[in-house]
């Protein structure tokens, strides 16, 4: 690898294929593992349906209840800001949509670049705030693990390098674009094996809990 362009081509070629393969196989195994967990068959007569309560719980537990907001307003507000900001930058930035279309054939309208830039900047600030909060809050500091900081660093690197590439603040440009792509690939590789898996498993878990409570005839 003799230059920034070669580095960029490597991230867009061989490294991309490696990352996608590890991500797909790892996620498939993880999802299969979840659905194949041995669960005792419930022989009790169902008091209510499962699908309705399951979907209702997916919604109700996605929106923080007043009690949760009163106990941890920072976690709720800042957490929502950076999660939504990350998804907007990921799914509504034109180059990202073009990449998704090349892989799946699916596409949708993009947001204007200035809007994506503003959202990305806010997301960066929110991510920094979450790190400071984690390192200074007595309880969160005690329960945080190395994995928590690794996950934060990977997500932050993806957003930061994207922001730097958008404004072309690093020369040569192929280098920072390659860094952005590589950080996204590292995130893909780590996703099935870390807490990042919650991107796919959160709603499955919420549906399962709601369905279980619905079968028992109670609301969660």
């Amino acid at each position: 690898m003799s230059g920034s362009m070669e580095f960029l081509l490597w991230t867009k070629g061989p490294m991309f294929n490696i990352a996608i393969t590890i991500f797909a196989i790892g996620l498939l195994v993880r999802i299969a593992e979840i659905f194949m967990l041995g669960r005792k068959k419930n022989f009790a007569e169902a008091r209510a349906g499962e699908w309705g309560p399951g979907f209702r719980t997916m919604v109700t537990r996605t929106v923080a209840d007043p009690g949760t907001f009163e106990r941890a307003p920072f976690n709720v507000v800042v957490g929502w800001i950076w999660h939504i900001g990350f998804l907007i930058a990921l799914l509504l930035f034109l180059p990202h949509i073009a990449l998704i279309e090349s892989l799946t054939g699916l596409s949708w309208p993009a947001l204007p670049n200035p809007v994506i830039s503003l959202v990305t900047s806010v997301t960066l600030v929110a991510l920094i705030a979450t790190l400071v909060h984690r390192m200074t809050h007595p309880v969160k500091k005690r329960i945080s693990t190395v994995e928590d900081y690794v996950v934060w660093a990977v997500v932050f690197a993806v957003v930061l390098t994207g922001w730097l590439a958008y404004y072309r603040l690093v020369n040569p440009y192929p280098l920072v674009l390659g860094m952005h792509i590589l950080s996204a690939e590292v995130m893909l590789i780590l996703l099935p094996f870390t807490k990042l898996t919650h991107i796919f498993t959160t709603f499955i878990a919420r549906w399962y809990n709601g369905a279980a409570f619905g079968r028992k005839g109670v609301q969660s």
Side-chain angles (χ1 to χ4, degrees), residues 19-96:
I20 284 290
T21 301
I22 295 176
F23 165 75
I25 295 175
L27 185 62
L28 182 63
V29 171
R30 193 68 184 272
I31 297 294
E33 180 186 37
I34 293 173
F35 282 105
M36 293 175 66
L37 281 175
R39 302 186 188 282
K40 292 182 180 179
K41 186 174 179 59
N42 192 339
F43 293 101
E45 183 178 352
R47 297 183 177 180
E50 296 180 343
W51 286 100
F55 283 116
R56 184 173 63 247
T57 302
M58 285 172 60
V59 174
T60 57
R61 295 199 177 182
T62 299
V63 180
D65 59 85
T68 300
F69 184 79
E70 289 178 5
R71 288 192 300 273
F74 177 89
N75 292 340
V76 173
V77 175
V78 180
W80 269 102
I81 289 175
W82 85 255
H83 275 88
I84 293 175
F86 186 89
L87 287 175
I88 289 175
L90 173 65
L91 299 177
L92 297 177
F93 185 40
L94 185 58
H96 294 167

Side-chain angles (χ1 to χ4, degrees), residues 12-220:
K12 297 176 74 171
M15 188 59 205
F16 180 76
N17 294 332
I18 292 172
I20 284 290
T21 301
I22 295 176
F23 165 75
I25 295 175
L27 185 62
L28 182 63
V29 171
R30 193 68 184 272
I31 297 294
E33 180 186 37
I34 293 173
F35 282 105
M36 293 175 66
L37 281 175
R39 302 186 188 282
K40 292 182 180 179
K41 186 174 179 59
N42 192 339
F43 293 101
E45 183 178 352
R47 297 183 177 180
E50 296 180 343
W51 286 100
F55 283 116
R56 184 173 63 247
T57 302
M58 285 172 60
V59 174
T60 57
R61 295 199 177 182
T62 299
V63 180
D65 59 85
T68 300
F69 184 79
E70 289 178 5
R71 288 192 300 273
F74 177 89
N75 292 340
V76 173
V77 175
V78 180
W80 269 102
I81 289 175
W82 85 255
H83 275 88
I84 293 175
F86 186 89
L87 287 175
I88 289 175
L90 173 65
L91 299 177
L92 297 177
F93 185 40
L94 185 58
H96 294 167
I97 296 174
L99 174 61
I100 294 171
E101 184 177 13
S102 69
L103 295 173
T104 66
L106 301 174
S107 67
W108 46 83
L111 284 177
N113 286 347
V115 175
I116 295 294
S117 173
L118 175 62
V119 169
T120 305
S121 300
V122 172
T123 303
L124 281 173
V125 173
L127 280 168
I128 293 172
T130 60
L131 177 64
V132 173
H133 183 68
R134 181 177 292 280
M135 296 178 70
T136 55
H137 190 279
V139 177
K140 296 200 73 172
K141 181 180 179 181
R142 180 174 290 274
I143 65 175
S144 294
T145 65
V146 173
E147 181 182 342
D148 291 317
Y149 292 106
V150 170
V151 167
W152 180 91
V154 171
V155 174
F156 185 76
V158 173
V159 181
L160 177 62
T161 53
W163 187 80
L164 292 172
Y166 176 81
Y167 285 104
R168 296 178 180 260
L169 295 177
V170 175
N171 285 318
Y173 175 71
L175 174 62
V176 67
L177 182 57
M179 290 168 59
H180 176 56
I181 295 173
L182 180 60
S183 60
E185 291 165 347
V186 171
M187 182 175 171
L188 279 177
I189 291 172
L190 292 179
L191 195 150
F193 312 105
T194 64
K195 294 178 179 178
L196 288 168
T197 315
H198 81 275
I199 296 172
F200 295 97
T201 59
T202 294
F203 291 103
I204 297 174
R206 288 173 182 171
W207 181 89
Y208 180 82
N209 287 333
F213 281 116
R215 181 180 176 82
K216 295 176 182 177
V218 298
Q219 292 188 355
S220 63

